Structure formats: structure tokens, C-alpha cells
Amino acid sequence: MIKSMTGFGRHEVVEANCKVVVEMKSVNHRYLDLSIKMPKRFNFFESAIRNLIKQYIQRGKVDIFISYEDYSEGRVSLNYNKGIASEYIAYAKQMEEEFHITNDLSTSVLARLPEVFTMEQIEDNEEQIWSVLHQAILGAVQSFVQTREVEGQHLKRDIFEKLEHIEQLVEEVESRFPNVLLEYRAKLEEKVKELLESSSIDESRIVAEVTIFADKICVDEETVRLKSHIHHMKETLLQEDNIGRKLDFIAQEMNREANTILSKANDKKISQYGIDLKTEIEKVREQIQNIE
């Protein structure tokens, strides 16, 4: 299914002790450019996050925002260092004996001494965090891809309509060409009559001049190739994912043929058709830039 390169997705997962929210948005880009903003505690998972997203997205500048709320209360633990406390007590007794002073070391005083009690951060359970993070990213990506697919269908319909218009313009060019030759022949005969002031005209000379003129302005090859490109683009639009670059190449070839038609045009109407062709093809190219 055709996908647009613009999209948005959001998903949140709430567990007993945390909440993870993932938001994604994207714009057009020639390649895949992922920008991830997340808490430092998730840096370890960056490679896995990128690999997961790349399974669903091939092109576009994608911004991913990940937020994390920790609801747990026991993120730190209190440790009692018995060895250090014993040393404090031993040195206090030694000072009492050496300096003949009162040993007033109490439990409350001992507890306030450095390193007797320490606070330690409880390490994160990586498997549990990744499980929640994976669910949130997967939900956001699926929502994101869905919006891209919906927009892609809109682009597809719009491009088909424009291609129909381009085909009509090509047919107008083809139908106009014989009339251009007839009008040129009539003008040529009239001019020869004026110059020769006689009704006697060398028919073979007129035919030769018209043939030379027809060869110069003939756009049969261009219109045939242009029709072929239009047909090719329609077939490509019915294919699966990753057709953006291919469509862009076809549009370039269509534009090349339109330029040639315009450069060969020696007729006001064909020139106008050529300008209209280039305008419509450029509109198609603009839409194609949005396709993944």
C-alpha cells in the first residue's frame, strides 16, 4: 500500500510502577533520518529502538519523543556498613584509653558518622523496562504507519486524476498536429502566390517544404513516450511500498518529453498545451515527493 512520508503516531503504556509515552511525527526526506529524544536511562536501548522502527519505515525525517514517569517508591536502598561502624567504636575506645577522656559515642552519634549508613540507587530491570518501551514504540509506530497509509491513498487518487488530465493534453497535442501542417501549407501556398503573382505553383516544392517543416515540429515520438511514461506511472502506483524514488524518476522523464514538445512547438495552441503539460507534471512531482 502506498504510504505518505508525513504522519503522526502516539501510544502510551502504563504499568504498575511506570508510564512510557512515545510520539512520532515525520516530514519528507530523501532517505530515512531518525531523531530520538528520550531520557538518559533509555540510551542503552537506542540501537534496538532504531532497528525496530526501521522495520516499518523506509524514508522520511522522523522525530521520536519518548517520555518516562516512574511511579515506584523504592528506587533507593539504605545500607548499614557494620565494618566501618566497628572501626569507629574501636578507635573511640582507643582514644578514651590514650587520652583519658569520656567515651560518649552513642548510637545516634555513630549513625551520623560518614559511611555508616549509605544510600544506593536500585538498578533498573532492563528486561522489564524494554518490555514496556517496546510496547509503547510498537503501538506508536503502528498508529504512525496507519496515518501514512491513509494519506498515501489520498495522494494516489490525486495523482491518478492529474495523470488523466495529462493524457488529455497529450491527445490534444496529437490531434492539433495535422491541423498545424494544413495551416502551414495554406500559408506557404498563399505566400508563393503573392511572390510569383501567379496561380501556378510547383506542387512538389510545396510538398517538400511542408515535409521539412513537419519533420522539424514532429512530436510523435515525444507523445508516444509520454503516454508510455503515464501508463508506467499508473502501474507503479498500484504496486506495494517503496515506490517514491521510482515515481520520481518517471516524473523526470515525463518532464523531459514535455520540454521537448514545448521546444519543438511552432504553434500557439501546441505551445499552450506544452506549458499546461509541464505545469501538471510539476504538480505530480510535488505530490510524489510526499510518497515513501
Side-chain angles (χ1 to χ4, degrees):
M1 182 178 292
I2 290 180
K3 298 187 185 73
S4 167
M5 277 196 285
T6 58
F8 177 82
R10 185 183 187 278
H11 192 73
E12 68 176 52
V13 176
V14 180
E15 295 287 344
N17 59 349
C18 68
K19 180 174 80 170
V20 175
V21 179
V22 177
E23 291 186 355
M24 302 175 61
K25 63 179 183 178
S26 68
V27 293
N28 304 346
H29 199 274
R30 189 174 181 183
Y31 305 105
L32 178 60
D33 180 13
L34 298 178
S35 175
I36 305 175
K37 295 182 179 180
M38 58 185 175
K40 290 183 178 180
R41 72 195 314 164
F42 290 161
N43 287 346
F44 175 79
F45 305 109
E46 182 172 353
S47 178
I49 293 172
R50 290 181 178 275
N51 290 335
L52 177 59
I53 293 175
K54 286 178 181 179
Q55 295 178 25
Y56 296 87
I57 305 170
Q58 282 70 47
R59 293 177 68 198
K61 187 180 186 306
V62 186
D63 294 314
I64 302 103
F65 304 93
I66 303 175
S67 63
Y68 177 79
E69 295 182 28
D70 189 352
Y71 298 150
S72 61
E73 298 179 356
R75 297 306 303 164
V76 295
S77 61
L78 179 65
N79 293 329
Y80 165 53
N81 298 317
K82 182 179 179 180
I84 293 178
S86 298
E87 290 188 27
Y88 276 125
I89 293 172
Y91 281 118
K93 288 183 178 180
Q94 182 178 342
M95 292 171 64
E96 179 184 18
E97 294 173 356
E98 291 178 355
F99 299 105
H100 304 290
I101 57 177
T102 302
N103 183 359
D104 59 353
L105 183 63
S106 62
T107 302
S108 59
V109 174
L110 182 63
R112 290 195 295 270
L113 294 176
E115 303 300 326
V116 174
F117 289 107
T118 57
M119 305 289 286
E120 289 187 3
Q121 187 78 22
I122 298 176
E123 294 185 1
D124 293 325
N125 185 327
E126 292 182 356
E127 291 185 3
Q128 181 180 2
I129 290 178
W130 173 244
S131 175
V132 177
L133 183 58
H134 183 274
Q135 292 180 53
I137 293 173
L138 195 59
V141 168
Q142 291 172 343
S143 173
F144 175 82
V145 170
Q146 185 177 10
T147 63
R148 279 187 153 197
E149 289 176 347
V150 171
E151 179 64 22
Q153 293 306 302
H154 294 160
L155 290 173
K156 179 179 175 181
R157 286 194 294 269
D158 184 68
I159 293 173
F160 263 107
E161 291 176 0
K162 287 179 170 56
L163 290 176
E164 293 295 332
H165 187 201
I166 292 172
E167 279 188 313
Q168 292 175 7
L169 290 171
V170 175
E171 291 173 0
E172 293 288 349
V173 171
E174 290 178 329
S175 62
R176 174 61 185 164
F177 183 70
N179 294 330
V180 174
L181 295 182
L182 292 175
E183 292 172 6
Y184 177 74
R185 181 187 177 100
K187 289 179 181 179
L188 188 60
E189 288 177 347
E190 182 180 352
K191 189 173 183 181
V192 170
K193 285 181 181 180
E194 291 177 358
L195 292 173
L196 298 178
E197 296 181 353
S198 170
S199 61
S200 177
I201 301 175
D202 185 351
E203 181 66 23
S204 62
R205 183 61 176 172
I206 294 293
V207 171
E209 290 294 333
V210 172
T211 302
I212 293 172
F213 177 73
D215 186 60
K216 289 181 179 179
I217 69 169
C218 180
V219 292
D220 287 354
E221 293 183 7
E222 288 75 14
T223 55
V224 169
R225 284 196 294 266
L226 192 47
K227 283 184 174 181
S228 176
H229 294 323
I230 294 171
H231 179 70
H232 190 192
M233 182 171 286
K234 287 182 176 181
E235 287 185 336
T236 304
L237 285 167
L238 299 177
Q239 296 175 6
E240 296 298 322
D241 301 339
N242 307 325
I243 61 173
R245 290 192 181 95
K246 186 176 182 180
L247 289 173
D248 188 49
F249 175 76
I250 298 172
Q252 290 179 39
E253 294 302 307
M254 291 172 62
N255 191 57
R256 194 192 313 278
E257 303 302 337
N259 282 331
T260 305
I261 291 173
L262 191 58
S263 66
K264 286 186 175 183
N266 195 14
D267 175 74
K268 184 178 180 181
K269 288 186 177 180
I270 291 182
S271 295
Q272 185 58 56
Y273 293 145
I275 293 171
D276 292 343
L277 277 172
K278 285 181 59 63
T279 302
E280 288 301 308
I281 291 170
E282 185 59 33
K283 291 178 181 178
V284 169
R285 287 196 67 185
E286 288 177 359
Q287 295 292 58
I288 288 173
Q289 300 304 316
N290 296 318
I291 295 178
E292 186 177 36

